[in-house]
Structure formats: C-alpha cells, structure tokens
Amino acid sequence: MKFNTKTPKHLKQAYKEELKQYSLCLENKQYGNAWYHLERSHIIGQSYPIEHTYSHWLMLKFGLRQKDTKEVFGQIIRLLVGGWKSFIDHVPLGNTGGANVPPLKPMSIPNDIEKLLESK
C-alpha cells in the first residue's frame, strides 16, 4: 500500500499559487473565481493529506461566508474522511471537492493540472 505523506515540490508550488489566486479573488469579491481556484487547489492537493484537508477547510470557510448550508455540511463530512483517504492514496482523481459533486466521483482533470500530476 502506498502512503502519501510528502507533496512533490512542483505540486506544492502549483497548490500554493491556486491558494494565492483564491485569496486575491476573495479580497476583490470575485466569488465565482475564488471558488474556481479552491476547486483547482483541491484537485492538485487531493492526494496529500495536509493539502487535501486544508482545501476542504477553506471550502468550509467559504461556505460559511456565503451562508451556503449545503456546502457547509458537505465540507464537514469531507473534512472527517478526506485526509485519511489521501494518506492511503484512495481519492477520486479530478474531483473538485465541493458539495455540488459526489465525494467519491472521479472527474476529468484540467489539462494543465493533468500535466503537473504526470510530471515527477
């Protein structure tokens, strides 16, 4: 069984860039774009427990800020199980992480992120 404990440097850099873009969009009240970058951070970091959990934490905070009850409850559930699923490398690749999609549904990965994930 493979255990994911350390995020490769190039993925960590891309993950942090998505979070930076999320923060900028949030500051400028561009909520749709902010959510877009959170979803991208989730796709990039979902195979690594810390990044995966942190993406869901930010999604929970975003849901609270937007007063979106469905998102809040969906993120609480994902926070309870997402990190350990990453640790044992059992995540649905491409899943954007929001409560608007089933938590175990694999999804297509944006081309730029797919290239990142393929490079070692």
Side-chain angles (χ1 to χ4, degrees):
M1 178 182 295
K2 178 182 173 191
F3 294 106
N4 289 333
T5 56
K6 185 170 179 177
T7 309
K9 194 173 188 175
H10 71 289
L11 291 181
K12 188 133 188 154
Q13 183 179 358
Y15 175 83
K16 286 182 178 182
E17 183 59 33
E18 293 299 335
L19 293 184
K20 180 180 170 186
Q21 293 302 314
Y22 160 72
S23 294
L24 288 170
C25 291
L26 196 58
E27 286 174 23
N28 292 306
K29 298 180 173 40
Q30 298 172 342
Y31 301 120
N33 289 335
W35 184 255
Y36 168 79
H37 289 290
L38 271 182
E39 289 179 322
R40 287 176 57 85
S41 77
H42 180 269
I43 295 167
I44 294 167
Q46 73 184 67
S47 292
Y48 305 94
I50 293 171
E51 288 79 6
H52 191 188
T53 302
Y54 190 62
S55 290
H56 284 299
W57 171 248
L58 292 177
M59 288 178 168
L60 172 63
K61 287 175 49 177
F62 187 88
L64 288 167
R65 181 184 202 126
Q66 299 297 309
K67 297 178 175 65
D68 184 339
T69 307
K70 179 181 176 189
E71 194 62 50
V72 169
F73 285 117
Q75 292 308 322
I76 290 170
I77 292 167
R78 285 160 175 81
L79 278 165
L80 293 173
V81 298
W84 70 266
K85 288 246 189 216
S86 299
F87 182 69
I88 62 171
D89 198 30
H90 188 66
V91 294
L93 292 179
N95 188 290
T96 54
N100 60 328
V101 297
L104 300 176
K105 179 183 180 181
M107 300 171 75
S108 60
I109 301 171
N111 290 337
D112 63 324
I113 295 177
E114 190 168 27
K115 288 177 186 171
L116 273 173
L117 296 175
E118 288 172 356
S119 64
K120 299 286 179 183

